Amino acid sequence: MEIAFAPSARSTIGIEWELALVDADSGDLRQVAPTVLEAVRPPGAQSHPHVHAELLLNTIEVVSGVATTVREAGADLERTLDELREVIDPLRVELMCAGTHPFARYDYQRVTNKQRYATLIERTQWWGRQMVIYGVHVHVGIEDRRKVLPILRAMLSYFPHLQSLSASSPFWAGRDTGYASNRALLFQQLPTAGLPQVFDEWEQLEGYVRDMTHTGVIDHFNEIRWDIRPAPRLGTLEMRVFDGASNLTEVLALAALTHCLVEHFSTMLDEGHELPRMQPWFLHENKWRSARYGMDAIVILNSAGDEQLVTDSLEDLLRTLEPVAARLGCLEELDGVRTIIRKGASYQRQRRVARRHDGDLDAVVASLVAEMKAGRPL
């Protein structure tokens, strides 16, 4: 099975942001995505180009266009949020984002009426019904198919850094799970989800897809739900590791870090350098550590097994990437990573709010809604 990789301009960027629709009074999830999607649909169009349906009726996805800078992609998202607010305000609905809703019951949520979603739920049953989760996906254009898998392998070395920064799902169905990112471990229960298979050659990826299709595991390439995956139709590498971010500033910080890392590794390949690569058992351990401990994780840095506190490693990484960020025009957005380190990741801020309010998770939802409106961590 041949998988064509679409031509794509180098280091273009696109962002996808899954948002929860919550009741303005109770903070619980509202099943009103069809109403919202219909209301924002331009006259004569089948759908809004930047607002999409998702698995559940409590969710919409906001997407940017193909951009050359993170700031340009962010401006796209901001315009779409403004359009959405005109529609949802009269419905007494707010936008909220975190890896999970702090107290909503998964068994109360309804699935979007599409065959692919019905097939997913029929196959995955209890685990599929628990997917009341939200994420941010960042696409970065890669101009040469030969670069895709080496860059993917190198990005896995920084997987725990990205997951720790975005971790925003400490609560599940009204309880503190003890994890920074409960979403990370929930989502990997789906077939083909979780850390990617690591291949050396594109032909091995084609063989994998052929086998998965032949045995009925998938019908289409996009049913491979890895945390990092090629997107052949778009000509991009897609980072899907991130928990949902509560505000635009954090979305752009995560996007800038991704943008810079991909460009950094692409430049290393141009210069003939070998990219970092780690053993699968270290990758799996890093994913668990960052999901459990978030910004307090001691992460494995390299194939030699050297370790460092993730926040210290991030400071080293930011210094390395600053010249890349200057080239890409995202120095300000990349510096947002330092804001997350200083103010705490979303899971830390949510727990602080819960402690201040004697465990009241209504207050946590209110804080997430407030951050969405403010466009920055509070």
Side-chain angles (χ1 to χ4, degrees), residues 154-232:
M155 292 295 288
L156 285 169
S157 299
Y158 290 97
F159 185 99
H161 304 68
L162 302 172
Q163 185 169 272
S164 293
L165 279 169
S166 71
S168 63
S169 48
F171 301 108
W172 176 253
R175 295 187 177 185
D176 191 324
T177 64
Y179 282 77
S181 175
N182 190 50
R183 169 191 169 273
L185 303 186
L186 272 173
F187 190 49
Q188 71 181 13
Q189 305 309 315
L190 293 185
T192 74
L195 289 170
Q197 300 288 335
V198 178
F199 301 117
D200 292 316
E201 304 293 339
W202 191 261
E203 290 75 19
Q204 292 174 297
L205 173 63
E206 292 175 329
Y208 170 85
V209 174
R210 181 180 62 248
D211 290 347
M212 294 296 101
T213 304
H214 175 72
T215 55
V217 179
I218 63 172
D219 292 320
H220 307 285
F221 187 94
N222 63 6
E223 292 174 0
I224 298 171
R225 300 179 176 91
W226 294 335
D227 297 323
I228 309 176
R229 70 180 182 185

Side-chain angles (χ1 to χ4, degrees), residues 1 12 26 32 44 48-49 65 96-97 109 211 235 249 301 303 318 326 328:
M1 174 179 289
T12 47
S26 70
V32 293
H48 193 291
M96 186 214 85
C97 191
Q109 310 312 315
D211 290 347
T249 297
L301 299 176
S303 59
L318 290 173
L328 294 175

Side-chain angles (χ1 to χ4, degrees), residues 16 27 40 48 56 78 105 110 157 275 299 321-322 354 368:
E16 303 168 352
V40 298
H48 193 291
L56 299 175
E78 193 162 27
R105 292 274 301 273
R110 288 183 289 158
S157 299
L275 300 192
V299 299
L321 293 179
E322 279 171 357
L368 292 167

Side-chain angles (χ1 to χ4, degrees), residues 284-315:
H284 283 275
E285 175 64 14
N286 270 344
K287 177 171 182 175
W288 185 86
R289 289 186 188 186
S290 59
R292 170 66 177 86
Y293 299 110
M295 302 294 271
D296 294 318
I298 305 294
V299 299
I300 304 166
L301 299 176
N302 50 40
S303 59
D306 297 322
E307 297 173 286
Q308 190 176 23
L309 179 66
V310 69
T311 49
D312 292 341
S313 183
L314 277 165
E315 288 288 358

Side-chain angles (χ1 to χ4, degrees), residues 38-297:
E38 177 60 26
V40 298
R41 179 174 60 85
Q46 289 189 332
S47 62
H48 193 291
H50 298 297
V51 187
H52 301 159
E54 269 294 330
L55 171 65
L56 299 175
L57 295 183
N58 63 51
T59 308
I60 55 172
E61 182 182 60
V62 176
V63 303
S64 76
V66 178
T68 56
T69 67
V70 171
R71 188 168 305 171
E72 181 187 342
D76 263 4
L77 295 175
E78 193 162 27
R79 280 191 294 270
T80 304
L81 292 179
D82 290 341
E83 288 184 59
L84 284 167
R85 289 192 178 102
E86 292 181 12
V87 168
I88 64 174
D89 284 351
L91 299 174
R92 299 289 297 161
V93 168
E94 300 282 7
L95 299 174
M96 186 214 85
C97 191
T100 55
H101 188 285
F103 64 79
R105 292 274 301 273
Y106 75 86
D107 47 343
Y108 289 0
Q109 310 312 315
R110 288 183 289 158
V111 177
T112 298
N113 185 23
K114 287 188 177 181
Q115 184 57 50
R116 67 188 179 105
Y117 295 141
T119 300
L120 172 67
I121 296 299
E122 170 58 28
R123 183 170 187 224
T124 58
Q125 291 295 303
W126 190 76
W127 281 113
R129 294 182 187 282
Q130 292 199 83
M131 294 297 122
V132 190
I133 56 177
Y134 309 89
V136 172
H137 303 163
V138 179
H139 289 261
V140 181
I142 298 180
E143 77 282 10
D144 187 338
R145 192 185 77 176
R146 291 172 296 182
K147 287 185 170 184
V148 175
L149 295 180
I151 293 176
L152 186 156
R153 294 192 300 265
M155 292 295 288
L156 285 169
S157 299
Y158 290 97
F159 185 99
H161 304 68
L162 302 172
Q163 185 169 272
S164 293
L165 279 169
S166 71
S168 63
S169 48
F171 301 108
W172 176 253
R175 295 187 177 185
D176 191 324
T177 64
Y179 282 77
S181 175
N182 190 50
R183 169 191 169 273
L185 303 186
L186 272 173
F187 190 49
Q188 71 181 13
Q189 305 309 315
L190 293 185
T192 74
L195 289 170
Q197 300 288 335
V198 178
F199 301 117
D200 292 316
E201 304 293 339
W202 191 261
E203 290 75 19
Q204 292 174 297
L205 173 63
E206 292 175 329
Y208 170 85
V209 174
R210 181 180 62 248
D211 290 347
M212 294 296 101
T213 304
H214 175 72
T215 55
V217 179
I218 63 172
D219 292 320
H220 307 285
F221 187 94
N222 63 6
E223 292 174 0
I224 298 171
R225 300 179 176 91
W226 294 335
D227 297 323
I228 309 176
R229 70 180 182 185
R233 184 176 58 85
L234 301 175
T236 65
L237 187 65
E238 181 183 5
M239 295 295 299
R240 300 161 50 85
V241 54
F242 304 116
D243 271 11
S246 64
N247 61 88
L248 185 60
T249 297
E250 281 186 304
V251 169
L252 300 187
L254 299 171
L257 183 55
T258 303
H259 201 197
C260 290
L261 275 169
V262 172
E263 173 61 23
H264 173 62
F265 292 136
S266 188
T267 301
M268 287 180 66
L269 287 173
D270 292 342
E271 295 172 351
H273 298 300
E274 187 175 345
L275 300 192
R277 181 170 185 166
M278 288 173 61
Q279 301 92 314
W281 43 94
F282 282 174
L283 300 177
H284 283 275
E285 175 64 14
N286 270 344
K287 177 171 182 175
W288 185 86
R289 289 186 188 186
S290 59
R292 170 66 177 86
Y293 299 110
M295 302 294 271
D296 294 318

